[in-house]
Amino acid sequence: MCNLYRMTKTPDEVAGWFDAVNEAAGSNVGGEVYPGYPGLVVAGGAVTQMGWGFPLQRKGASGQPLKPKPVNNARTDKLDGFFWKSSFQKRRCLIPLTGWAEAEGPKGAMTRTWMGMPGTDLFAAAGIWRTSDEWGDVYSMIMTEAAGTAAEVHSRMPVLLAPETYETWLTGEPEAALRLCRPWNDRLLIDRTDEPWSRSSQASLL
């Protein structure tokens, strides 16, 4: 699953790429986005800042409320469940990114393997969003089974969208959008690094 991605473009560059209005001027978005961090999304014809991950309420052993956990990935086969259904049907978005990372290697010594699109340094993953009481507007990335190049690294991958499918994802009927939730079979770039995999990049998938 994707618990870390890069977005190294400015909001102005993202707005130009996706032909959207920049409503994220002055946003506090870093080049590397972790679960619970702010990221850029394209929704409603605008580039905005939201938090990465829907809040999941938790309780401790004695029933005491704990800090919510950001659920930053949504499985394609769970989109009709209570946690995701309304957002998938009514509030889909594009998540601009320049690459995403997965952990590889032995436990305790995992390193980052980055993946990206050949021929472009900006592309889009499928996302959904909603407004939460805890963190305001939040988004989650749609995940599917990996195929092709991506399957060499991990069993799951983000749903990647070709430019000609953006409008269908954003405004099409849910049935049409669901048909886009498939593995990306074209070639991807793989960059295996010696960068340590940080614990802070671990979150959850529903």
Side-chain angles (χ1 to χ4, degrees):
M1 71 184 96
C2 178
N3 289 328
L4 168 63
Y5 70 89
R6 282 178 178 154
M7 225 308 295
T8 57
K9 302 297 183 181
T10 68
D12 274 338
E13 289 174 311
V14 173
W17 185 275
F18 292 97
D19 193 23
V21 177
N22 180 11
E23 294 184 357
S27 62
N28 183 30
V29 177
E32 293 186 350
V33 183
Y34 295 87
Y37 281 39
L40 297 179
V41 304
V42 180
V47 178
T48 61
Q49 175 182 304
M50 299 184 187
W52 188 24
F54 284 22
L56 177 66
Q57 297 296 335
R58 301 182 297 162
K59 291 185 178 181
S62 301
Q64 75 276 21
L66 301 176
K67 182 179 178 181
K69 181 178 184 178
V71 183
N72 55 296
N73 292 316
R75 284 173 41 173
T76 55
D77 60 338
K78 300 291 186 180
L79 292 175
D80 60 350
F82 174 79
F83 199 74
W84 306 117
K85 184 174 182 178
S86 178
S87 296
F88 174 68
Q89 292 183 340
K90 302 175 184 178
R91 294 178 298 277
R92 297 187 294 272
C93 62
L94 303 176
I95 304 172
L97 64 161
T98 55
W100 81 95
E102 298 290 0
E104 284 195 300
K107 187 175 181 180
M110 289 184 170
T111 54
R112 298 178 181 183
T113 294
W114 291 94
M115 284 175 281
M117 289 272 204
T120 181
D121 55 359
L122 183 60
F123 52 99
I128 54 179
W129 71 276
R130 70 176 176 88
T131 299
S132 70
D133 293 334
E134 297 87 350
W135 303 325
D137 290 346
V138 293
Y139 67 99
S140 187
M141 189 178 289
I142 309 299
M143 303 296 289
T144 188
E145 293 183 359
T149 308
E152 300 173 15
V153 179
H154 199 277
S155 60
R156 293 191 179 273
M157 66 178 297
V159 170
L160 304 179
L161 297 172
E164 62 269 20
T165 67
Y166 291 169
E167 193 60 30
T168 299
W169 178 257
L170 290 171
T171 65
E173 293 297 320
E175 295 79 7
L178 188 61
R179 288 194 290 271
L180 298 176
C181 295
R182 56 182 183 262
W184 186 266
N185 286 301
D186 291 344
R187 188 175 68 90
L188 295 169
L189 301 177
I190 297 181
D191 179 21
R192 289 183 167 89
T193 75
D194 57 3
E195 300 174 78
W197 182 257
S198 170
R199 285 189 177 184
S200 63
S201 63
Q202 296 177 1
S204 56
L205 168 76
L206 278 182

